[in-house]
Each structure stands twice: as structure tokens, then as C-alpha cells.
Amino acid sequence: MNGIRLIISYLKDRIAFVVLLTAIFVVNIIVHILYKLNMDSFFYGWQLTGVIIVGVFAFDFIRYVKKHSMLQRILANPEDICSGMALANVEEMSGEILVGKSLIDRDYRNIIKKLGNICAENRNEFAGKRKDTIDYYTTWVHQIKTPISVMRMSLMAEDTDKNRELLTELFRIEQYVEMALNYVRLDSESSDFVFKDIAADKIIRESIRKYAPVFIRRKTGIKYEGTDLVVVTDEKWLSFVLEQILSNAVKYTEGGTVTVNAENNYISIKDTGIGISKEDLPRIFEKGFTGYNGRADKKATGLGLYLCKNICDKLGVYISAKSEVGKGTEIILEFDGNYASK
């Protein structure tokens, strides 16, 4: 708010006092005129009074501007009132904003403190419930892995087309289970990110090896020549991102080829699959968005690339996509040059 508008706003808020002073001034003039009193003494008295009035209004206006500025700061960042630091200093903060000692000012301070306490209680309650949810999913994932392992051993006991097909579906179940766990873990304040120097070649080869049976079953070729790229990242979360991208690539590239390149400060995974339409491309990282290809594939969830985007944001990795219908898709992971070396 500019200075002129702020002054106008202040005068509107103090209109009662302005009207009162104007009325007193007018009444004094009328009295002096009716009783033919000395006007020199009237104007001299009002000059002195005017200096005092201007001083009082100037002091009050400064407090008004300060209060407005600090309230605007809170309005711009309302979550600060809920933070532990803001709550601990809420008396000091509210005292700065509402420096007066009137009943109304005390009421405002009490409201701020009350809202801060309620917000902190709600935040703690939410954190507790979220922790319970994460603990439940973590336990569930570990428990479900046992029957999955038993099923895999049973299916591997006999090499038949039917068993190979079931093993592929079982692998997909494992991936969905892992996705569910990472989905609830991602926004947790306790997300276990551990950043260190990682050889990109190691992560890429492990991800390719994990999906090798799927590539073979779908008769999709994989090209990767190795790399000496080293990045500073979290190995587990970056592996999840690469696996999700490979999963999408092989899903929509049956009988084609997937090429992985890693050089300079980026990793790219390019396929020769069905591609993504020009209209869908800007939205592929949105939560739940499946696009035309996803709608054709009834099993698409629209969560894989959404999770990849969120994880990359937390890792400081820029993820982007290029695609052309009928020619394929390329997903690019670009690392900060300051944190990637060759």
C-alpha cells in the first residue's frame, strides 16, 4: 500500500477524532464571533493546540503503519504463527504488533496466543497420526513381502509360460507396494534423505537389472554403455525415480528399445514407444494425471511420475520430458552442476 492510500486509510480509521476536532474548532470560531472575542488569542491558542495535535497524530500514525506492516507480514506467512519458534515468542511478537495496553489490544494478543496454541496442538496431532500411518504402512510392506517371496519361490520351482507371466504380475505387485510406502513417506518431516557422492553407473545398472525380466518378457531392448558420472544425491530415492521411469518406458515400448545415457550432469532415459500427446505432456507430473495413454491402459495410476517429480524437487534434481506421439519419450534428470562431477 503506497503512502497516500495509507494516510487516507488512517484518516478513515480515525474519522471520529477528526470529526470531533473539526467540531471543536468550528464551535470555538462561532463562540468567538458571537461574543466578539479577540480572534488573535483564538488563533494563537489553536496554533499551539495544532502543534500538539499534529505530534499526537504523527506518533499514532507511526504505530499504525508499524502495526499494519507486521500484520501484513503475518498475513503473507500465516504458518509462522504455528511454528515452534513463533509460538515460543508469541507474547513478544504480539506485543510488537499491538503495543497498546488497552482492553482491545489485550484481546488481540490473547487471540493470537490462542490461535497459536490451537494451531500447534493441531499440528502435533496431525504429526502423530501421520507417524502412525507411516508406521502402519512400513509394517504392512514388511509383512506382505513374506507371502510375495513364498509365491515367487513356488512359481520359480517350475519354468512354464504361465509361471513366468505370474512372476511378472508378482513383480508389479512389489512395485505398487513400494510405491505406496514411498507415497506416505515422501511428505514426512522425517524422510530419510542421506546425501553423499554416488556413482550413477551403480544405480543405473541395479535398476536395469531389476527390470531385466520385464524387458525380456515384453521383448524390449535396453541400451546402456556405462558412465563415470558421480552425483551428490540420496541413493535409495534416486533409485526409486530411475525404476519408475524405466517401468513407464518398458510399459509403453513393447518390442522397441529403451536407451539410457548419463554424461555431463544429466541422466536421460529414452524409449521408442507410443509417445505422449502434445496436449498431455505439460501435465504428466501432476498427481493422478494419466492422459490418453493412461486412460487406454486401465491399470495406470498417475502416481509414478508425480512421485518422481516430488522426489526430484527434494533431491534438487530438475526433471523434464520430451515426447512425440508414435516416436517415443525421453525423461531427463538434470543435476546441479555444483553437485555433479565427471
Side-chain angles (χ1 to χ4, degrees), residues 71-328:
L71 287 173
Q72 286 294 307
R73 188 184 69 189
I74 289 183
L75 185 62
N77 301 284
E79 65 278 0
D80 288 351
I81 198 69
C82 299
S83 67
M85 184 186 306
L87 186 60
N89 301 314
V90 71
E91 182 70 48
E92 178 183 351
M93 182 178 65
S94 59
E96 289 178 357
I97 298 171
L98 303 164
V99 293
K101 296 182 179 180
S102 68
L103 177 63
I104 298 300
D105 287 335
R106 289 199 301 271
D107 288 339
Y108 275 128
R109 282 194 289 269
N110 290 332
I111 289 172
I112 292 174
K113 290 175 64 177
K114 184 75 173 178
L115 290 175
N117 286 325
I118 292 174
C119 187
E121 290 172 3
N122 290 339
R123 188 170 182 168
N124 292 335
E125 183 181 355
F126 173 78
K129 289 182 178 179
R130 183 167 186 79
K131 183 179 181 302
D132 290 342
T133 300
I134 293 174
D135 290 344
Y136 169 77
Y137 273 95
T138 303
T139 302
W140 179 79
V141 166
H142 287 301
Q143 289 176 338
I144 204 68
K145 284 182 178 180
T146 300
I148 288 176
S149 298
V150 173
M151 292 169 67
R152 176 180 289 104
M153 286 172 31
S154 299
L155 292 170
M156 291 177 67
E158 186 177 357
D159 187 17
T160 65
D161 290 340
K162 186 67 175 179
N163 282 9
R164 284 196 293 269
E165 183 178 347
L166 290 174
L167 280 170
T168 300
E169 294 305 314
L170 193 62
F171 177 76
R172 294 182 65 181
I173 291 174
E174 284 185 290
Q175 298 313 108
Y176 286 134
V177 166
E178 194 67 27
M179 183 187 293
L181 180 60
N182 286 326
Y183 180 78
V184 295
R185 275 181 174 174
L186 186 59
D187 290 330
S188 171
E189 293 181 355
S190 60
S191 293
D192 51 343
F193 288 97
V194 179
F195 290 86
K196 58 182 180 180
D197 285 341
I198 300 294
D201 185 72
K202 173 177 178 288
I203 301 178
I204 294 171
R205 290 188 185 278
E206 288 178 353
S207 299
I208 292 174
R209 191 178 301 115
K210 186 173 182 179
Y211 275 84
V214 183
F215 276 90
I216 293 171
R217 180 161 184 78
R218 293 184 64 83
K219 299 178 182 178
T220 302
I222 179 75
K223 293 182 179 180
Y224 173 62
E225 297 180 354
T227 180
D228 56 0
L229 177 66
V230 175
V231 295
V232 176
T233 189
D234 180 278
E235 182 175 0
K236 183 186 71 174
W237 287 101
L238 182 60
S239 295
F240 176 81
V241 171
L242 290 175
E243 289 169 11
Q244 287 299 310
I245 298 173
L246 284 172
S247 175
N248 279 355
V250 72
K251 181 190 299 184
Y252 297 112
T253 317
E254 186 171 10
T257 303
V258 175
T259 303
V260 181
N261 285 316
E263 55 185 354
N264 296 328
N265 65 329
Y266 72 87
I267 298 173
S268 76
I269 300 176
K270 186 175 183 179
D271 63 58
T272 57
I274 60 178
I276 303 169
S277 69
K278 185 178 180 180
E279 295 76 20
D280 289 343
L281 192 59
R283 301 186 58 194
I284 61 173
F285 297 113
E286 293 180 11
K287 182 179 180 181
F289 182 76
T290 57
Y292 176 80
N293 294 337
R295 290 189 292 273
D297 177 12
K298 305 301 182 184
K299 299 174 183 178
T301 63
L303 288 179
L305 288 179
Y306 165 76
L307 283 173
C308 288
K309 177 66 167 64
N310 277 268
I311 292 170
C312 285
D313 287 345
K314 292 180 181 292
L315 294 178
V317 177
Y318 178 71
I319 183 171
S320 59
K322 300 177 182 178
S323 187
E324 189 174 344
V325 174
K327 293 187 176 181

Side-chain angles (χ1 to χ4, degrees), residues 14-67:
R14 300 291 188 268
I15 189 66
F17 296 102
V18 173
V19 171
L20 177 62
L21 289 173
T22 303
I24 293 173
F25 181 79
V26 171
V27 168
N28 270 270
I29 288 181
I30 293 173
V31 169
H32 275 71
I33 292 174
L34 291 177
Y35 286 91
K36 298 181 180 179
L37 299 176
N38 187 348
M39 297 300 293
D40 291 339
S41 61
F42 167 78
F43 287 114
Y44 179 71
W46 270 98
Q47 286 176 358
L48 296 177
T49 303
V51 172
I52 297 173
I53 291 173
V54 170
V56 170
F57 269 87
F59 177 74
D60 187 55
F61 180 70
I62 292 172
R63 291 177 57 192
Y64 181 86
V65 172
K66 181 179 179 181
K67 185 184 297 186

